[in-house]
Amino acid sequence: MASALARTVFVRRFHVSASRHALSKFAMPAMSPTMTEGGIASWKKKEGESFSAGDVLLEIETDKATIDVEAQDDGILAKIIAQDGAKNIAVGSPIAIIGEEGDDISGAEQLAAEAASEKPKAPAKEEKAPEAPKPEPTPEKKAEPPKQEKQETKSELPEGDRIFATPIAKKIALERGIPLAKVKGSGPNGRILREDVEKYQAPAAGASATPSTAVPSPSASLPEYTDIPVSNMRRTIGSRLTQSKQELPHYYLTLDINMDKVLKLREVFNKTLGEKDKSAKLSVNDFVLKAVACALADVPEANSAWLGEVIRQYKKADISVAVATPTGLITPIIKDVGSKGLASISAEGKALAKKARDGKLQPQEYQGGTFTVSNLGMFGINHFTAIINPPQSCILAVGATQPTLVPAPEEERGFKVAQIMKVTLSADHRTVDGAVGARWLSAFKGYLENPLTFML
């Protein structure tokens, strides 16, 4: 799908070139319906180099993966505008000048310069628009004597006992021993920003206080640190999860599940599979995914999405599986899990996880999904809560399986040791009521505590 989109763009551009026999601008393509900006991972062709249909021209970094862009027709890469490593390039912005064999590429430099000069024009207009209303209130404030402003800031603090500052501004002020009450904020409504704290200088009146201020200054020096640039993927994760936590009415249901039968069945299956293929082994997560799909078939209300005017209820369980990668979290999708066997689920899950870690997932492999599973049991985490991945309604947080003492009246001692796994369902109360969430968890528990029902 991604390559098809890219090819569509190429076809359109090359037809223009053919008709006019001239160079043309190649814009940042939209590799997915939700993509608004991207980055250049690397160009696979050099300036002036010819390419043929099917050749990979460049790799584009989206918010989720790195995607190859292939050429549909033969041509020549006349000039590269956006170099390797360029980030936050808006969809539709020119990234290169292309042409066909025989085109005069001497004008590529001028065309690239024109394309580059187009970029600042758009934001400049946007900046002018908000500036118009701002000058109106500023003269009113300036009309007041500056002495009154100082008095207001001093009087506001004791009255409200609250200083409006960004978290990073508070952190830096604490580290440097700067009193926020004396810092003038330049943000909206006088909010103190990071730059305000960094630019703060002690007042000149500190002649008498100089000796005392000079003492803590050595201890106020910042520790050594490294600033890591925020990737497109990390920025997207941050914005979407923040939006989910703030806008979705989360609630949480936790349940303990006896995994004794699953572990015994897994051992038998792996022994049989190991004889055919040593690398083919079922994980506990494979059983979890199958049980999720079966429970969604029993309680379809949990397999839904909030779309504003309607609640969409899905007929198949396309399960997103959270995978940790070096660049951040991504959720590849195993489609129609309910119709697949444990071996197929295991093989497909491993293949998608590898592609995710290599950054080679295609958009259709991670976009969509009807329910998400996040498993931290392999890290020894026995309990956690997860944030819903909108527009989905639910996400299941799976913890580690641990030996636990449980009541057993049939035993002589009255108790026994069982392998217990703790799971927590995070649900969106707009679509899944508490009773529905409880019914789904009960069905899920039933399948795992009687795993032979998978086979029926």
Side-chain angles (χ1 to χ4, degrees):
M1 179 180 171
S3 59
L5 286 170
R7 287 172 183 168
T8 304
V9 177
F10 268 104
V11 170
R12 191 185 308 125
R13 300 291 179 180
F14 283 142
H15 284 179
V16 173
S17 177
S19 61
R20 299 182 182 177
H21 200 65
L23 300 174
S24 59
K25 302 170 187 174
F26 173 55
M28 169 67 76
M31 308 307 289
S32 69
T34 59
M35 178 176 167
T36 57
E37 61 180 25
I40 308 297
S42 63
W43 286 93
K44 300 303 180 183
K45 296 292 180 182
K46 299 177 181 177
E47 288 186 359
E49 188 175 353
S50 301
F51 54 82
S52 304
D55 287 353
V56 177
L57 289 186
L58 75 157
E59 289 184 343
I60 288 181
E61 282 184 347
T62 69
D63 55 356
K64 292 288 185 182
T66 302
I67 302 174
D68 293 339
V69 177
E70 297 179 356
Q72 178 67 20
D73 298 316
D74 299 346
I76 185 169
L77 184 60
K79 180 68 178 177
I80 294 174
I81 299 174
Q83 300 295 330
D84 292 357
K87 296 184 179 181
N88 305 327
I89 303 172
V91 169
S93 298
I95 58 174
I97 305 299
I98 57 174
E100 293 184 355
E101 291 288 349
D103 283 350
D104 180 10
I105 64 172
S106 60
E109 287 282 352
Q110 182 180 351
L111 193 57
E114 291 174 4
S117 65
E118 290 173 6
K119 294 181 182 178
K121 288 180 184 176
K125 289 177 184 176
E126 291 175 5
E127 286 173 7
K128 286 176 186 174
E131 277 175 14
K134 284 182 182 175
E136 293 177 6
T138 40
E140 295 175 7
K141 290 182 181 177
K142 286 180 181 177
E144 298 174 5
K147 291 180 182 179
Q148 291 179 0
E149 287 182 5
K150 291 180 182 178
Q151 289 173 358
E152 284 173 11
T153 52
K154 288 180 182 177
S155 61
E156 282 173 9
L157 296 176
E159 283 175 13
D161 276 339
R162 183 174 179 186
I163 300 172
F164 292 95
T166 61
I168 189 64
K170 292 179 181 177
K171 182 175 182 293
I172 295 174
L174 183 64
E175 290 171 346
R176 299 187 182 181
I178 297 173
L180 283 175
K182 296 184 179 180
V183 179
K184 186 176 181 181
S186 61
N189 299 320
R191 189 179 180 89
I192 300 172
L193 307 179
R194 174 179 184 163
E195 295 78 13
D196 301 327
V197 178
E198 290 176 341
K199 292 176 183 176
Y200 173 78
Q201 292 181 350
S208 59
T210 309
S212 60
T213 339
V215 178
S217 58
S219 61
S221 61
L222 288 173
E224 292 185 3
Y225 62 89
T226 302
D227 286 335
I228 302 171
V230 177
S231 65
N232 289 338
M233 186 174 182
R234 177 56 60 187
R235 185 181 292 107
T236 302
I237 290 171
S239 62
R240 288 183 182 172
L241 292 186
T242 300
Q243 181 183 13
S244 172
K245 195 67 175 174
Q246 291 176 343
E247 297 182 3
L248 272 62
H250 286 61
Y251 72 90
Y252 311 97
L253 302 174
T254 301
L255 202 62
D256 289 340
I257 299 174
N258 189 326
M259 297 293 286
D260 285 347
K261 291 181 181 179
V262 164
L263 296 178
K264 287 177 183 176
L265 191 60
R266 174 176 173 253
E267 186 179 353
V268 173
F269 282 172
N270 282 342
K271 192 174 289 185
T272 306
L273 289 171
E275 294 172 359
K276 299 177 182 178
D277 184 2
K278 292 183 179 180
S279 62
K281 283 190 176 182
L282 300 178
S283 67
V284 170
N285 207 50
D286 300 328
F287 286 85
V288 168
L289 294 176
K290 184 65 176 178
V292 166
C294 292
L296 288 174
D298 292 349
V299 188
E301 297 94 329
N303 197 28
S304 60
W306 175 267
L307 300 182
E309 297 300 321
V310 297
I311 295 173
R312 179 168 295 170
Q313 195 172 112
Y314 298 100
K315 297 180 180 179
K316 294 181 179 179
D318 295 341
I319 301 179
S320 305
V321 183
V323 176
T325 72
T327 53
L329 187 72
I330 193 167
T331 52
I333 303 163
I334 302 178
K335 303 286 180 68
D336 196 8
V337 175
S339 67
K340 295 174 180 174
L342 290 169
S344 299
I345 294 170
S346 178
E348 193 172 334
K350 287 173 183 174
L352 286 170
K354 185 180 186 305
K355 289 182 73 174
R357 294 187 183 98
D358 295 340
K360 296 298 182 182
L361 284 175
Q362 296 299 311
Q364 65 271 18
E365 292 176 319
Y366 60 79
Q367 288 181 350
T370 63
F371 190 102
T372 298
V373 173
S374 179
N375 191 339
L376 293 179
M378 64 284 293
F379 298 106
I381 303 300
N382 65 342
H383 174 250
F384 69 103
T385 58
I387 301 174
I388 298 169
N389 184 19
Q392 295 176 14
S393 295
C394 298
I395 181 171
L396 185 69
V398 181
T401 301
Q402 296 181 327
T404 308
L405 291 176
V406 296
E410 71 279 3
E411 296 286 333
E412 186 179 347
R413 296 176 296 177
F415 65 88
K416 66 177 181 179
V417 177
Q419 298 295 326
I420 301 297
M421 180 179 75
K422 194 182 291 289
V423 298
T424 298
L425 178 71
S426 303
D428 183 348
H429 218 313
R430 297 175 301 177
T431 53
V432 181
D433 291 333
V436 174
R439 279 198 296 118
W440 184 89
L441 263 185
S442 178
F444 174 71
K445 177 178 180 176
Y447 282 112
L448 282 182
E449 293 190 343
N450 298 281
L452 287 177
T453 52
F454 293 168
M455 318 302 167
L456 299 177

